[in-house]
Amino acid sequence: MTSRNILRAAVAALCATGSLSANQVWAQTTDAKDDTEDMGVITVTGSRTIKDNTQSPTPLTTVNIEELVRTTPSDTADALNKLPTILGGRTPRTQGNGSTNNGGNTLSLRNFGPQRTLVLLDGHRIAPNNQDGSVNIDVLPQMLVKNVDIVTGGASAIYGSDAVAGVVNYQLDKEYTGASVKADYGMSKYSDGDTYQVGAAWGTDLFSDRGHFEVAARFRHQDMIPMSDRPYGEDGQAWLLTGAGTLASPFVNTPNGRVITQAMHGNINCGAACTLNGYTFDQAGIPEPLVHGTPVPGSTSLESGGDGGWVKYGTFRSEIEMKDVFARFDVDLGENANWYVQGSWAQAENASDWINWVASTANGRPSAIFANNPYLAPQTQALLGANIVCGTPAATGWRCLPTPPPPSPVDGVRPPTPPTTPYLSVPSYIWNSVDGQPANGNPNRMYRTLGDQQSWNVQTGATGEIGGFSWDVYYNHGNSELTVTNPNNTDNAKYLASLDAVLDGGTIKCWVTTQPAFASLYPGCVPTNLVDPAGPSADAYNYLRTKTAWTLTQELDDVGFSILGGLWGLGLPAGEITANFSGEARWATYVMESNAFPTDFVDCTGLRMCLQGGVNPVRWVQNTNAEVDAKQYVYEGALEFNVPLLKDVPGFQDLSANLAGRWTKYENFESVESWKTGLNWKVNDTLRIRSTYSSDIRAPNLNDLFQPAGLSSTGFRDLLTGKNDNTRLRTSGNPDLTPEEAKTVTVGFVLTPPSISGFSVSLDFYETKLTNAITQISYQNDAIQGLCIGSAPAYDSPFCSLAIRPLMDPSNLTAYTSTANYPLEVLNRPFNAAVQKIKGYDFELDYRWEMWGGQFSFRHLATYQPVNSTLNTPASKWYTWAVQPDLLQSTFISYRNSGWDVSLQNRWLSNVTLESSSNNLNDGVDGKNGGTQNYADETLDAYDVVDVTVAKQFEFGDSKVEAFLTVNNVLDERAPLFPSNSGLPGLFYPTQPYYDDMGRFFTTGVRVTF
């Protein structure tokens, strides 16, 4: 029997023992309602009129937050991501370039996307932190979090836009008294990934208990972990998913991925007449034949093993540092009202290494030098054609720049007249080393993503009762400032100048430095050597290195009110109708400021190699953002009724209906409505049946509408005119977007047998269909072009607007379809064009009993979701299926007595069946994945992680001390292998983001309460 099976047997025996022993203690336990209150569990019900969970028709995920963080002491985000309903958000495992902030934590319910999960703080909206409108929960105050409330299922009618998948509401303890301190330290079995945090909270009553003040602060740090320090990243494994996904060439997991066309030390391309094509520079300036690995079927650029290039220094987990401070004051205003003011500040910084610099094969990326480059050995120069004169018959088959050079397609500027010497390109990963030192050393010379997210929040409001009605009014101002810096971006203009090296008076210089007409354009130019395996010089690196940064400031002003009460006795004999009327107004701003822009292009003045790739290079190698200044107002009004229908009649101990509707007016589009109906049927004390049907929305956020424009050059085949040429590709938001619309149905039951105190079990079915879903559409897609052409002769398909042509009016069809009407630009922007469906079941079992002088608790949460499919565009014939486990389970077991606490959590994800294509074109929309998703290995193994915490309590006078040790992933479970198909070996760790290959992790700490 394996250690895992032994553990499972022990757990089963423990549960059986508890069940047998429970008969002895039923009389000593409190009823189920009291148990719930004592546990400090989730209380949000998905309703403003229902205050008792047992009467809510909305499916609830009820977790004890204290138990949740007990087995995951690092952070509430880490703990929540282990719940089965939360899947698909971003974590510090998510890596990206400097155009986004990928290192923080965002939550996604049901793998439906973070932007479709509404995150609240004490029931109120938070200013979005990230570009996509999502909230980085690292910036929320942590020390005074009492509950994290989760509502699954559509809730837009209750809480507003974005609550398509549900709501995650952080609730703070507003009545905290005393003082507490928490400190812990953790480290992985690999002796890395160090985490440490310290936090403190203090609260006191004032004015003879009529007022209250509390304050809390926390600091947390976790170290960055290089990819090479984890099993799938060590020894240059650099896994890739290769193949075409067809039956003839299925997707295959390929180890030791290498880009042979962009070899580690260069891959020479010097023309058909040259004998050194395919050579590399394993010695400085001296070419040697490339050592090839095993060819990858279907690819001319990738091999397994050999001298090809790969990313040696990627990041497994980002470095994170978090700080937060929170303070709150409230005071009673007479007997029936309370006024409060609260404020918080938080900062979350993250850092990761993205990729080393490269000399790229992409058109417009600098990788070319002249054959007489002085860094080449003299004999090498001759073999590369240094003695050949371009423009003569002898130059046939060599690579020569045109004379005179063509004008730039961007601004018409012509590069200087080139020399008569041929040139060669040497694309490489040579920048893995600089001056013979690793690029990830000190100083760090990688492309890096440094995120600094700061959030401020001030809220004031009042609550009270009058005439049998309870009321709430509030004003909240939130400000989020996100700065993302790439300290090591590359200026392509300087890069082109530094690669054009010449020998001048016995010294290697930049050609532009030797030309009086251009020298002032590039002062201090340092030549770059691409033909030395030790890498270019530190001086060259420092010359090219440019710090780029952008700051996104998002502000949210939110004012609202709510009035709740019975309708003066109005209702059926079963009881009075309860109503809630609420209103809200929000003003949001989105301001992007940047010191470098994606629309910047290199000025070819003084740069002989500027147009060598056939296009005008963009100025910055790594992504940047354009500036935007956008705003939006929203007005909302909502009504909700809870209507008792039957009470205390056979078969209907209690039957009530819940009805809600919301009207929302956005500045950018017409008003929209969302609604919800619910039915709660309590058959008897044992059985309750619940169901809901809702219409929900997600309005496009300001990034969807006004995403900063990016501009690049691209090759493009235009099906309308039949011309294949270069044009500009513009990526941007779409101000014409409208809200996404979803219909959700849930049906379930809850069993609470009175004969088994503290026991309950529930099962809920859910299904959501999202239409008008926002998805990115590019005119580069042949199918999208086909939709436009299919609307002839009017050419009035909305997708025709994605091509900006000299002639936009199709009235003259001959001119409209001629090659002269080839697009000036093609666009990539979001459209309301997709359909997404999810369907599944949520299961929960809870049981608490007393035994052995203490209390046991057992909680099992499971989600079975066999359907998560998307029809990406109207041109799509097949749904694509999300790569995710169908069954996710989390089990919590704990035992507590007066001195000890032992807690165990088991997170189990079923094996993943990679949905293969139907490969039957006649299947149409009922088919899967377009015939291009076939895998050599169609299954990812199940993933099973066990966490254990042992805590001991002590008392010193009036103080209570708890020391604890937590071991996460006790059995050292490995994440299933699933590489990306990015084509860049080593860029991403080869597992799905919902797995964690951290390995066994130890945390020890102490909690002190005064």
Side-chain angles (χ1 to χ4, degrees), residues 195-380:
T195 65
Y196 48 89
Q197 68 176 327
V198 60
W202 177 78
T204 184
D205 291 328
L206 303 170
F207 316 129
S208 300
D209 296 336
R210 297 182 64 85
H212 183 77
F213 177 77
E214 61 188 30
V215 62
R218 184 186 71 135
F219 171 85
R220 179 172 181 258
H221 175 91
Q222 68 178 33
D223 285 351
M224 183 173 71
I225 301 176
M227 198 178 300
S228 58
D229 287 351
R230 284 301 175 272
Y232 291 138
E234 61 188 2
D235 301 324
Q237 291 180 60
W239 288 86
L240 277 180
L241 189 68
T242 61
T246 62
L247 285 173
S249 178
F251 289 128
V252 176
N253 296 337
T254 300
N256 304 304
R258 302 292 185 264
V259 183
I260 196 63
T261 54
Q262 198 168 321
M264 195 63 84
H265 299 149
N267 185 336
I268 295 174
N269 179 0
C270 47
C274 179
T275 61
L276 296 182
N277 287 303
Y279 276 58
T280 191
F281 290 99
D282 286 338
Q283 297 184 58
I286 300 175
E288 298 180 0
L290 269 171
V291 175
H292 284 266
T294 303
V296 171
S299 175
T300 58
S301 61
L302 294 174
E303 296 180 348
S304 178
D307 284 348
W310 56 285
V311 181
K312 294 178 67 175
Y313 306 119
T315 298
F316 171 75
R317 190 184 73 175
S318 301
E319 176 184 358
I320 287 186
E321 192 164 282
M322 292 172 280
K323 315 174 191 73
D324 62 73
V325 178
F326 173 82
R328 188 179 194 275
F329 170 76
D330 72 89
V331 63
D332 292 339
L333 305 176
E335 296 298 323
N336 297 313
N338 177 271
W339 173 78
Y340 68 90
V341 61
Q342 66 185 42
S344 64
W345 170 86
Q347 181 180 34
E349 299 175 278
N350 59 76
S352 62
D353 296 339
W354 172 232
I355 189 174
N356 51 274
W357 289 19
V358 297
S360 175
T361 58
N363 285 345
R365 292 282 296 277
S367 66
I369 59 177
F370 289 109
N372 60 357
N373 186 286
Y375 289 114
L376 296 167
Q379 66 272 26
T380 303

Side-chain angles (χ1 to χ4, degrees), residues 635 662-673 697 739:
Y635 302 135
R662 177 176 291 262
W663 172 88
T664 305
K665 178 65 179 79
Y666 282 81
E667 177 180 3
N668 308 93
F669 39 82
E670 296 298 320
S671 61
V672 291
E673 294 79 36
I697 65 165

Side-chain angles (χ1 to χ4, degrees), residues 98-175:
S99 66
T100 56
N101 181 48
N102 288 312
N105 278 293
T106 62
L107 299 177
S108 170
L109 287 169
R110 305 204 189 286
N111 202 15
F112 219 38
Q115 62 270 48
R116 298 186 183 114
T117 297
L118 181 61
V119 178
L120 305 174
L121 180 63
D122 275 334
H124 297 153
R125 287 179 179 262
I126 307 163
N129 308 115
N130 300 312
Q131 291 153 282
D132 61 1
S134 61
V135 173
N136 180 4
I137 60 175
D138 291 334
V139 301
L140 301 182
Q142 302 285 324
M143 284 299 294
L144 288 173
V145 172
K146 183 178 181 180
N147 302 316
V148 178
D149 306 342
I150 301 174
V151 178
T152 54
S156 293
I158 308 300
Y159 299 107
S161 174
D162 303 338
V164 173
V167 175
V168 178
N169 181 27
Y170 276 66
Q171 285 195 348
L172 302 177
D173 185 350
K174 305 182 192 68
E175 300 177 354

Side-chain angles (χ1 to χ4, degrees), residues 116 295 330 486 635 786 796 844 913 951:
R116 298 186 183 114
D330 72 89
N486 181 348
Y635 302 135
D796 55 0
E844 179 178 342
T913 300

Side-chain angles (χ1 to χ4, degrees), residues 444-468:
N444 188 300
R445 295 183 172 113
M446 303 281 290
Y447 289 127
R448 309 198 74 206
T449 300
L450 309 179
D452 183 356
Q453 199 153 60
Q454 298 191 53
S455 294
W456 300 263
N457 186 278
V458 177
Q459 180 173 308
T460 185
T463 60
E465 295 184 0
I466 184 171

